[in-house]
Amino acid sequence: MTINIQYIHMATSEAMNAHVTEKLNKLASKFDWIISAEVVFDTIKKEKEDGKICKIELSAPGPRIFASSKERTYELAVKNTIADLEIQLKKRKHTFVNS
């Protein structure tokens, strides 16, 4: 699986790269038909509490799968976004099995 990570309104972070790559690789091991992932980290400057955004778009057979989260930390945003993606992937897998 190919993973592209972008940072908007913030500096690049090797720690965040490693964290999100680890989480996405776990997801890819469960769902081996994922082709690639586009990850975007963004910051809303005006919001002090919940200004950390993580958006992830997965390329897989069928329509693209997208989820995003706005939280107080990037780690929490990644966790919630991955959880949302996993729900969508389970639904997609269910349709593959039943077709």
Side-chain angles (χ1 to χ4, degrees):
M1 174 175 70
T2 308
I3 301 172
N4 294 324
I5 303 172
Q6 294 180 339
Y7 294 88
I8 302 173
H9 302 122
M10 62 178 285
T12 302
S13 166
E14 289 302 318
M16 282 308 302
N17 284 353
H19 179 70
V20 76
T21 301
E22 176 190 344
K23 298 290 183 185
L24 285 170
N25 284 335
K26 281 184 184 177
L27 204 59
S29 67
K30 287 184 187 176
F31 306 98
D32 58 354
W33 36 269
I34 298 173
I35 300 165
S36 66
E38 295 286 331
V39 182
V40 177
F41 289 108
D42 197 356
T43 302
I44 299 174
K45 299 278 186 205
K46 295 177 182 171
E47 292 188 35
K48 297 292 183 212
E49 286 295 312
D50 293 340
K52 312 293 191 267
I53 300 171
C54 174
K55 302 175 188 174
I56 301 176
E57 182 177 323
L58 297 179
S59 182
R64 291 189 172 227
I65 298 171
F66 177 80
S68 69
S69 224
K70 184 172 88 168
E71 300 294 339
R72 59 181 150 66
T73 66
Y74 288 110
E75 290 80 5
L76 192 56
V78 168
K79 179 182 174 185
N80 290 342
T81 305
I82 296 279
D84 291 346
L85 289 171
E86 192 163 2
I87 292 167
Q88 294 180 51
L89 288 165
K90 284 179 183 176
K91 287 180 184 175
R92 175 79 53 94
K93 187 175 184 177
H94 184 69
T95 59
F96 283 160
V97 171
N98 293 333
S99 10

